[in-house]
Amino acid sequence: MRIEWSREAQEELWNIIDYIDDRNPQAALILQRGIETAVHSLSLNPFMYRLGRVDNTREIVVHPNYLIVYRIIGHNRSSWRDSR
């Protein structure tokens, strides 16, 4: 699955990381890595995280103060079944 960030989301993310980095570089690095890890996991299992508060979205809690809100578009969900 391909992950696409909106321009607005990218700008907002870097503004948050820069703001935190000015005050606590280690915390900024930890948050950035947590976000990268969580987003990477979406390509493996996009339905892993909770349903969002906005229709047709899902949410990742990467920190008590920060959520990643995302939408799954055009993903076929299939299940495997033993045919015995």
Side-chain angles (χ1 to χ4, degrees):
M1 182 173 119
R2 188 176 72 207
I3 308 294
E4 292 183 31
W5 287 76
S6 70
R7 182 181 309 263
E8 179 185 5
Q10 288 175 334
E11 289 174 6
E12 199 170 325
L13 172 61
W14 289 116
N15 288 338
I16 291 166
I17 297 300
D18 286 344
Y19 177 85
I20 296 170
D21 187 59
D22 288 344
R23 289 147 184 81
N24 186 338
Q26 184 64 26
L29 183 61
I30 290 168
L31 179 61
Q32 181 180 355
R33 286 182 179 164
I35 291 169
E36 289 171 355
T37 299
V39 170
H40 176 72
S41 71
L42 291 176
S43 63
L44 304 172
N45 187 356
F47 297 95
M48 177 170 30
Y49 297 102
R50 73 184 190 192
L51 292 173
R53 292 173 246 179
V54 175
D55 286 343
N56 299 315
T57 65
R58 299 187 80 81
E59 298 176 345
I60 305 170
V61 180
V62 291
H63 181 278
N65 296 326
Y66 299 103
L67 291 176
I68 296 173
V69 178
Y70 67 98
R71 181 172 285 122
I72 301 167
I73 300 172
H75 184 272
N76 291 327
R77 198 172 185 181
S78 60
S79 60
W80 179 83
R81 187 171 59 133
D82 190 350
S83 60
R84 287 186 249 169

